[in-house]
């Protein structure tokens, strides 16, 4: 068994295919595939499920993924202890539904990189179900999601609550409804509405809010960031967790404002998720600590 065989399997898991892994590792795809086949033969298990459309890690591979990661991290620590500076360059992969991107995620990434100059961080905007799946199969290290009261996370994932807020109406500055102290569902039914696409928590909340009587003009988009931009451009109004708007650059610039939803007592929690495992990787622990520390700050200080 060779270390590079373990690195090849981890890369296929991380990048989602043999082709992309071979491109990132600068190894030919046949050589990479053959190395993993030899590893499978030595271990006596099928690590990859190979199809005409590509290859994905198998159930047995998922069960062995954490020990493989442990071995690779042990090798990195050995190299670092020996003074190999290249070992400090590791990719940390974060998935988010655009929860707290401006106020929490980006400041935490900035602080992490200040502590690890050679660290590489990848932030992906993905739907919540994909975050769950990618965390479990190892293609993400950390995920930020929104949860409604009573929502559970899949077994095998550990949630860390960061912020608790309420759904709020997001309006462009100068809109007539900004003169009100709160906005009702009936008010929204008379406006162009920007909903999150199916698969996002706020899509589910919007259908709970309106029932079968939806706004006549209904747009949809992927994620809160584009939703806020559409509101700022006057395309429509939307409903988002208040913590995803307060402190946002568009809100700080005075281009969008929020108002409470009349009569609504729903709570929304932003949580960071990671795989439940005996030893959480140091980089994940550090970013979690940075996220918690910033979440505990007053709003005006979170982006500092």
């Amino acid at each position: 068994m060779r270390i590079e065989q373990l690195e090849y399997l981890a890369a296929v898991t991380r990048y989602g295919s043999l082709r992309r892994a071979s491109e990132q590792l600068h190894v030919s795809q046949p050589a990479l595939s053959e190395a993993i086949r030899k590893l499978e033969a030595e271990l006596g298990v099928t690590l990859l499920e190979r199809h005409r459309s590509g290859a994905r890690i198998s159930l047995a591979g998922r069960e062995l993924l954490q020990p493989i990661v442990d071995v690779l991290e042990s090798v990195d620590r050995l190299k670092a202890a020996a003074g190999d500076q290249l070992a400090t360059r590791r990719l940390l992969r974060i998935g988010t539904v655009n929860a707290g991107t401006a106020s929490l995620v980006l400041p935490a990434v900035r602080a992490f990189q200040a502590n690890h100059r050679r660290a590489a961080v990848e932030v992906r905007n993905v739907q919540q179900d994909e975050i769950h799946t990618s965390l479990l199969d190892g293609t993400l290290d950390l995920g930020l999601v929104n949860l409604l009261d009573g929502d559970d996370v899949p077994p095998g994932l550990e949630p860390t609550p960061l912020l608790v807020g309420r759904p709020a109406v997001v309006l462009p500055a100068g809109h007539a409804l900004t003169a009100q102290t709160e906005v009702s569902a009936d008010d929204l039914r008379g406006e162009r509405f920007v909903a999150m696409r199916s698969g996002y928590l706020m899509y589910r909340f919007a259908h709970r809010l309106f029932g079968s009587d939806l706004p006549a003009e209904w747009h949809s988009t992927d994620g809160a960031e584009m939703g806020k931009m559409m509101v700022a451009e006057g395309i429509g109004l939307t409903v988002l967790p208040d913590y995803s708007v307060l402190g946002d650059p568009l809100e700080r610039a005075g281009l969008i404002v929020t108002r409470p939803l009349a009569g609504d007592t729903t709570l929304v929690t932003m949580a960071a998720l990671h795989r439940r495992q005996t030893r959480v990787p140091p980089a994940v622990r550090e970013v979690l600590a940075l996220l918690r520390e910033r979440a505990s700050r007053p709003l005006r200080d979170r982006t500092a």
Side-chain angles (χ1 to χ4, degrees), residues 146-151 167 201-202 204-205 208 266-269:
N146 295 317
L147 303 170
L148 291 175
D149 291 340
D151 285 352
L201 176 139
M202 295 311 291
R204 179 156 49 100
F205 176 79
R208 179 191 298 182
T266 303
L267 293 179
V268 189
T269 300

Side-chain angles (χ1 to χ4, degrees), residues 32-161:
L32 188 149
S33 181
E34 179 61 20
I36 294 177
R37 286 188 188 277
K38 289 180 178 178
L39 179 62
E40 290 175 319
E42 182 171 352
L43 294 176
V45 296
T46 300
L47 299 171
L48 292 181
E49 295 174 348
R50 295 169 172 85
H51 307 285
R52 299 185 68 177
S53 58
R56 287 182 61 85
I57 191 166
S58 66
L59 178 60
R62 287 196 191 97
E63 292 176 348
L64 292 174
L65 184 60
Q66 188 55 51
I68 289 172
V69 171
D70 290 342
V71 170
L72 294 175
E73 289 183 348
S74 295
V75 171
D76 279 350
R77 288 196 298 274
L78 177 61
K79 289 180 178 179
D84 184 353
Q85 295 302 309
L86 291 177
T88 62
R89 182 174 177 82
R90 294 299 305 273
L91 178 64
L92 180 69
R93 300 149 303 170
I94 302 173
T96 175
V97 292
N98 283 325
T101 304
S103 62
L104 287 186
V105 179
L106 298 184
V109 168
R110 186 172 63 238
F112 177 76
Q113 289 188 316
N115 295 333
H116 306 276
R117 293 293 181 180
R118 297 183 63 81
V121 179
E122 179 179 274
V123 180
R124 304 180 193 172
N125 175 27
V126 287
Q127 292 187 352
Q128 192 150 322
D129 286 347
E130 185 178 347
I131 288 176
H132 293 164
T133 302
S134 298
L135 286 170
L136 290 169
D137 68 17
T139 54
L140 284 178
D141 302 298
L142 197 61
L144 267 78
V145 301
N146 295 317
L147 303 170
L148 291 175
D149 291 340
D151 285 352
D152 294 320
V153 300
L157 296 183
E158 185 73 30
T160 299

Side-chain angles (χ1 to χ4, degrees), residues 1 20 95 141 199 234 285:
M1 185 185 302
R20 286 196 288 270
D141 302 298
R285 289 202 308 269

Side-chain angles (χ1 to χ4, degrees), residues 13-41:
T13 303
R14 180 181 308 129
Y15 298 110
S17 73
L18 286 164
R19 178 182 61 79
R20 286 196 288 270
S22 68
E23 291 171 353
Q24 293 294 324
L25 295 172
H26 305 291
V27 176
S28 72
Q29 186 171 327
L32 188 149
S33 181
E34 179 61 20
I36 294 177
R37 286 188 188 277
K38 289 180 178 178
L39 179 62
E40 290 175 319

Side-chain angles (χ1 to χ4, degrees), residues 12 47 79 84 206 215 250-251 270 289 302:
V12 173
L47 299 171
K79 289 180 178 179
D84 184 353
L250 293 173
E251 192 262 349
M270 181 202 301
R302 285 181 190 156

Side-chain angles (χ1 to χ4, degrees), residues 182-184 260-266:
E182 56 184 18
V183 176
S184 69
L261 264 172
D264 185 76
T265 59
T266 303

Side-chain angles (χ1 to χ4, degrees), residues 98-302:
N98 283 325
T101 304
S103 62
L104 287 186
V105 179
L106 298 184
V109 168
R110 186 172 63 238
F112 177 76
Q113 289 188 316
N115 295 333
H116 306 276
R117 293 293 181 180
R118 297 183 63 81
V121 179
E122 179 179 274
V123 180
R124 304 180 193 172
N125 175 27
V126 287
Q127 292 187 352
Q128 192 150 322
D129 286 347
E130 185 178 347
I131 288 176
H132 293 164
T133 302
S134 298
L135 286 170
L136 290 169
D137 68 17
T139 54
L140 284 178
D141 302 298
L142 197 61
L144 267 78
V145 301
N146 295 317
L147 303 170
L148 291 175
D149 291 340
D151 285 352
D152 294 320
V153 300
L157 296 183
E158 185 73 30
T160 299
L162 298 173
L163 296 172
V164 177
R166 294 189 181 280
V169 179
V170 188
L171 311 99
H175 191 282
L177 290 177
T178 60
Q180 301 180 189
T181 57
E182 56 184 18
V183 176
S184 69
D186 284 338
D187 291 330
L188 290 174
R189 287 188 180 96
E191 301 286 335
R192 294 190 300 272
F193 189 75
V194 177
M196 299 302 103
R197 198 162 59 85
S198 176
Y200 288 92
L201 176 139
M202 295 311 291
Y203 169 89
R204 179 156 49 100
F205 176 79
H207 281 267
R208 179 191 298 182
L209 176 67
F210 296 120
S212 60
D213 188 9
L214 299 177
E217 296 186 62
W218 180 278
H219 305 293
S220 60
T221 188
D222 277 331
E225 299 307 304
M226 182 56 70
K228 287 178 279 192
M229 290 170 58
M230 292 173 72
V231 170
E233 290 294 327
I235 294 173
L237 312 184
T238 193
V239 175
L240 294 170
D242 52 10
Y243 52 67
S244 75
V245 183
L246 301 175
D248 182 273
L250 293 173
E251 192 262 349
R252 295 201 307 266
L255 298 176
I256 58 175
V257 297
T258 63
R259 292 291 181 270
L261 264 172
D264 185 76
T265 59
T266 303
L267 293 179
V268 189
T269 300
M270 181 202 301
L273 305 179
H274 63 84
R275 288 188 300 280
R276 183 175 287 126
Q277 51 200 11
T278 304
R279 190 177 66 82
V280 178
V284 174
R285 289 202 308 269
E286 181 173 346
V287 173
L288 274 174
L290 289 167
L291 288 168
R292 286 196 300 266
E293 189 273 330
R294 273 159 175 73
S296 68
R297 294 184 183 187
L299 176 62
R300 63 180 178 276
D301 298 329
R302 285 181 190 156

